[in-house]
Amino acid sequence: MVVDVAAVELDRLHARVAGRFARAEPRARMREYVAGLVAGLERKNGWTLAERAGEASPDGMQRLLRWADWDIDGVRDDVREYVVERLGDPGGVLILDDTGFLKKGTRSAGVQRQYSGTAGRVENCQIGTFLAYASPRGHALIDRELYVPESWTADRARCQGAGIPDEVEFATKPRQAMAMLGRAIDAGVAFSWVTADEAYGQVKYLRVWLEQHDAPYVLATKCNDTLITSDAGQRRADELIAALPARAWRRLSVGAGAHGPREYDWARVPIRISWAPGRGHWLLARRKITEPGQVPGEIAYYVCFGPRRSTLLDLAWTAGSRWRIEECFQQAKNEAGLDHYQVRSWRAWYAHITLSMLALAWLVAVKSQLTKGEPTPANNT
């Protein structure tokens, strides 16, 4: 049953993106590549994927990533549309984050010694910025950008050697996030909130951009972020929360975790001098629960913008949904070969990552279909 559902769904997805390929050979090889990414292979690279597909060498798989004539960004758009079609919900959340890809050498596009949240330290790596979509029906990655440090964009000869187009200029990760969010908004993706960790949330130009696009957000920020208060003053986030009375805090669960309900104490305080009609601004705080008599738990802070009627639970649930992109990364790396590539060029990175996102979307769609108990759809492709 599971195998039948998965095979039929892959056929449907393959037919959906087939028009992005100019020739039959790369079109067929793309299906083998995606099927190989989710197969039980220890490593998923050109050699192993080629062997699984019955090919004598990795040349065809490498050609698919490096030179074959297909619309990589068009497939990205198809993945986004497919995910929203399968998982879309008016209460959906768009989640921003980045992940590292450990690399050796200095020739891979965008590689340098930089902090990798994946490794938890500075490593020689590439960084990808991603956008995920999450709803009660599941979650998957829908967009991606390769972070290219200034050390690269200042050296056009090095960029050319890695195939980075001349028009690619340095962009911060929040700027990349804005580009991905813009594509989702232009595509009419149904969502209610945007969330991200403090690497994005503390960036005020990103918050301004979201408000200009009327995109509600719950973004983590630092304790020393200076905010405009409702009485036209300016105060640090931690000072605003410290001034709240004990009765302002409420214990809420924001979903099930690995060890039971993820419960924290939450509080919020209105900020900003004036609000746009129907909209509001708050500083949200999450405090770790401690035993009576112990030192109060660590506090996390979030800057929020959204519908005026938003409740404390609405904001807390949105903040708590950020973990879903971490689960996307884990599943994409463990089950869809996201970090198994052995390519150096700009184009090949985007090609592999896009096909891995497609593979993850396929897995998530099959899981959603099986969970709902739907019959195997007819294969009309």
Side-chain angles (χ1 to χ4, degrees), residues 27-57:
R27 188 182 306 127
R29 184 166 283 117
M30 178 274 290
R31 190 189 188 285
E32 293 294 339
Y33 193 94
V34 172
L37 286 176
V38 303
L41 303 174
E42 183 176 353
R43 294 297 301 170
K44 300 165 184 178
N45 53 44
W47 273 107
T48 59
L49 296 178
E51 288 174 355
R52 182 187 178 279
E55 299 180 3
S57 78

Side-chain angles (χ1 to χ4, degrees), residues 52-274:
R52 182 187 178 279
E55 299 180 3
S57 78
D59 294 352
M61 294 299 181
Q62 292 172 351
R63 186 163 56 249
L64 175 68
L65 302 182
R66 296 175 182 174
W67 304 298
D69 186 6
W70 59 285
D71 184 354
I72 297 172
D73 284 347
V75 173
R76 172 205 64 199
D77 294 343
D78 291 338
V79 170
R80 180 185 61 232
E81 183 180 90
Y82 176 78
V83 168
V84 174
E85 184 179 290
R86 294 296 192 275
L87 308 180
D89 185 274
V93 180
L94 293 174
I95 313 169
L96 296 160
D97 203 357
D98 50 79
T99 190
F101 302 91
L102 301 182
K103 301 293 287 184
K104 295 180 180 179
T106 60
R107 295 172 59 188
S108 298
V111 71
Q112 72 169 21
R113 286 191 59 79
Q114 53 194 325
Y115 180 78
S116 166
T118 308
R121 58 185 181 274
V122 173
E123 286 282 0
N124 196 63
C125 65
Q126 292 171 303
I127 299 292
T129 308
F130 288 84
L131 180 66
Y133 183 84
S135 79
R137 300 165 65 183
H139 39 277
L141 302 172
I142 61 170
D143 210 338
R144 73 291 179 264
E145 290 287 354
L146 176 63
Y147 175 68
V148 183
E150 285 186 279
S151 63
W152 275 81
T153 56
D155 186 345
R156 298 319 302 187
R158 189 183 187 195
C159 285
Q160 290 172 3
I164 300 175
D166 290 341
E167 61 269 22
V168 173
E169 299 179 350
F170 173 70
T172 64
K173 294 165 193 171
R175 294 284 181 192
Q176 293 182 318
M178 288 159 52
M180 293 188 293
L181 288 167
R183 289 193 285 265
I185 291 170
D186 290 344
V189 172
F191 71 97
S192 291
W193 298 93
V194 176
T195 191
D197 67 18
E198 66 181 35
Y200 299 87
Q202 66 179 320
V203 179
K204 296 188 178 181
Y205 64 74
L206 174 58
R207 289 165 10 197
V208 169
W209 185 92
L210 287 167
E211 291 171 30
Q212 289 173 341
H213 289 77
D214 197 32
Y217 62 74
V218 176
L219 300 174
T221 192
K222 291 185 175 181
C223 64
N224 61 357
D225 192 359
T226 302
L227 303 168
I228 298 174
T229 61
S230 56
D231 60 359
Q234 290 191 26
R235 298 187 72 182
R236 285 170 46 128
D238 54 359
E239 293 173 345
L240 280 168
I241 296 302
L244 290 176
R247 65 178 181 275
W249 293 88
R250 288 180 56 196
R251 185 156 299 177
L252 300 171
S253 171
V254 291
H259 305 289
R262 292 183 294 125
E263 286 190 332
Y264 297 92
D265 290 331
W266 297 85
R268 68 172 175 175
V269 58
I271 56 174
R272 299 283 188 91
I273 304 168
S274 60

Side-chain angles (χ1 to χ4, degrees), residues 275-314:
W275 293 355
R279 291 291 181 260
H281 298 264
W282 303 270
L283 172 64
L284 175 71
R286 184 198 71 196
R287 187 175 65 196
K288 185 176 180 181
I289 297 172
T290 56
E291 296 297 326
Q294 292 183 336
V295 176
E298 181 182 357
I299 297 178
Y301 303 88
Y302 305 83
V303 180
C304 309
F305 160 77
R308 186 182 292 257
R309 66 180 182 277
S310 300
T311 65
L312 178 63
L313 183 58
D314 292 331

